[in-house]
Amino acid sequence: MGSKPIGMQVPLLLRDMSETAITFLYPAECQVCQEFLGATSIPYICNNCWQDVQFVEPPWCDICGTPGINGLCDACAITPPRYGKLRSVAFYQTTLQQAIHFFKFEKKKVFARHLTQLLNAHIPSDCSIAEYDFILPVPIHKKRLRERGFNQATLLANGIGNAEGVPILTDTLVRKRHTIAQSSLDREARQQNIVGAFEIRNPDVIRDKRLLIFDDVFTTGATIHEAVNELWTADPVEIDVLTLARTVDT
């Protein structure tokens, strides 16, 4: 038999080159379940694993959002935090934990779009984004920004703000002190590590405004509490918090 016409060989060659490039750029196996990803799957994690993301559902504490609580949890009833309410979209485990790890620590910005879509599709019902004057992503120090190349909280906050028409402020709450990564510390060490890490610039911008702080993961709350305390020095009228994920035991 003769060889295939040149016109048929070119599309086949392009397809082979495309498949080779995809295989080179992204692993063929899901990094959560190790099953085959498939050509139309989100890079690194298969569609089935994305379906396993567990979202935070009510009831939750009226203030801190701790799941399984009607009204106030014991901690908030005794010593309420200084924010009005904190809400999280999903639990920091399995698929979501791996996705955030890829995004945040392995610098795979491809996840920003997918995590933003997940956020916008599952904003808690009692968290109306459009009611806030500004969204403030929790800042990282300029040294870590140079190392990582981006602030993951800012990328995700931009996705929320663009969808709801709420401005993002990244130059008002700033990280003035470089600290050890909170993820490497225990609860007590986290609280000590973050003290005095933030400062407010241009306080007039947020005076008498309703603010929504955004972060990727809520663990012990040390970072959020320090940021909230600093923001109150500028006299806003309200401070609430939204995170993409929260650890299961918080």
Side-chain angles (χ1 to χ4, degrees):
M1 298 290 291
S3 61
K4 293 181 180 179
I6 297 296
M8 294 180 62
Q9 291 179 349
V10 172
L12 290 175
L13 178 62
L14 292 175
R15 184 195 66 185
D16 292 343
M17 291 175 61
S18 177
E19 290 178 352
T20 300
I22 291 172
T23 301
F24 176 77
L25 290 172
Y26 303 118
E29 293 182 348
C30 172
Q31 300 302 287
V32 176
C33 70
Q34 283 70 57
E35 295 293 330
F36 179 64
L37 273 173
T40 60
S41 299
I42 297 170
Y44 302 100
I45 299 175
C46 72
N47 292 331
N48 286 337
C49 283
W50 278 110
Q51 298 302 314
D52 290 337
V53 172
Q54 295 188 25
F55 297 99
V56 180
E57 302 287 349
W60 47 54
C61 172
D62 292 342
I63 298 178
C64 73
T66 298
I69 303 293
N70 280 301
L72 298 181
C73 68
D74 291 343
C76 287
I78 297 172
T79 309
R82 298 190 71 191
Y83 52 74
K85 63 184 176 187
L86 183 149
R87 297 292 180 261
S88 300
V89 169
F91 289 106
Y92 186 61
Q93 58 185 8
T94 57
T95 297
L96 187 56
Q97 183 175 0
Q98 185 64 73
I100 292 174
H101 178 86
F102 277 132
F103 177 43
K104 185 174 180 177
F105 298 112
E106 298 192 23
K107 306 177 183 179
K108 301 189 185 303
K109 292 173 68 174
V110 67
F111 279 98
R113 178 167 61 90
H114 304 298
L115 293 174
T116 295
Q117 290 173 346
L118 184 145
L119 265 167
N120 286 329
H122 297 279
I123 297 291
S125 57
D126 62 347
C127 184
S128 179
I129 305 298
E131 293 180 358
Y132 297 97
D133 295 298
F134 298 108
I135 300 175
L136 289 80
V138 171
I140 59 177
H141 191 267
K142 58 184 179 182
K143 179 179 180 180
R144 184 155 293 131
L145 184 60
R146 287 194 299 267
E147 294 170 350
R148 186 175 298 163
F150 60 91
N151 179 355
Q152 72 285 345
T154 297
L155 292 184
L156 297 178
N158 283 337
I160 302 170
N162 290 339
E164 298 290 342
V166 179
I168 309 299
L169 285 185
T170 59
D171 56 357
T172 299
L173 177 67
V174 299
R175 199 92 166 222
K176 68 177 182 180
R177 184 168 62 83
H178 183 57
T179 58
I180 299 171
Q182 291 286 82
S183 58
S184 66
L185 303 173
D186 60 24
R187 179 179 291 270
E188 183 176 350
R190 285 173 185 244
Q191 294 173 347
Q192 295 300 318
N193 183 54
I194 202 68
V195 171
F198 301 108
E199 70 176 356
I200 301 297
R201 296 176 182 171
N202 304 315
D204 290 344
V205 174
I206 59 174
R207 185 165 291 118
D208 298 326
K209 302 298 183 183
R210 300 184 64 188
L211 309 179
L212 180 66
I213 301 177
F214 177 82
D215 206 2
D216 55 340
V217 181
F218 178 82
T219 305
T220 65
T223 300
I224 292 296
H225 287 294
E226 189 68 19
V228 168
N229 286 339
E230 188 63 28
L231 283 168
W232 277 122
T233 65
D235 296 323
V237 295
E238 183 177 353
I239 303 176
D240 290 334
V241 184
L242 175 66
T243 71
L244 168 59
R246 67 184 297 146
T247 51
V248 177
D249 58 349
T250 58

